[in-house]
Amino acid sequence: MEKRIAVKSDWETNDMPVRNAQFKLERHFTDAELHNLKCGFIPVEMEDRWFMYFENDTMYIHRSWTGNCIYIVEFNFKTDVHSVVVNRDKEQYTCTSTKEDLQQLNQLLNRFIQPKRI
């Protein structure tokens, strides 16, 4: 099966709400990992809780069931210090801990950098 690149129109999504927070993610990605990130992720099963697509140097991560945007990661590959915007609308996302968000985002990135079968 040929890889398919995820794009915004592949899923019903909502924009990042006005209520949000920002933090930095310091992490290096190899060329292979970056390639896999740029492929995105399209949910196939109900257990696939995330939809992710990449535009230019920015990754958008949405909850698949609601379409709510949870993270926007603006990559800076020169410094490996990336800017993250996280949803803080309590009706869309209940986490309020940057530490927990950083941990969850890294777990998601670890999943997304694996070769895809979309």
Side-chain angles (χ1 to χ4, degrees), residues 23-29 33 37 50 52 59 61 70-73 75 80-86 93 95 97-114 116:
F23 63 91
K24 298 292 183 190
L25 168 70
E26 294 184 35
R27 183 166 175 175
H28 175 76
F29 296 93
E33 290 170 340
L37 287 177
W50 300 96
M52 188 271 283
M59 177 189 327
I61 303 173
I70 305 301
Y71 300 107
I72 298 174
V73 183
F75 287 90
D80 289 335
V81 178
H82 316 290
S83 299
V84 180
V85 179
V86 60
Y93 183 60
C95 182
S97 166
T98 300
K99 183 178 178 181
E100 288 178 28
D101 278 314
L102 185 58
Q103 181 180 9
Q104 177 171 261
L105 179 58
N106 272 303
Q107 289 173 347
L108 287 170
L109 291 170
N110 289 341
R111 179 178 170 198
F112 293 147
I113 62 176
Q114 301 302 313
K116 309 290 183 285

Side-chain angles (χ1 to χ4, degrees), residues 10 12 17-18 29 39-40 48-49 57 61 66 74-75 82-83 87 92 110:
D10 287 328
E12 189 171 324
V18 174
F29 296 93
C39 287
D48 295 334
R49 297 180 178 172
D57 287 336
I61 303 173
T66 63
E74 293 183 27
F75 287 90
H82 316 290
S83 299
N87 189 325
Q92 295 183 10
N110 289 341

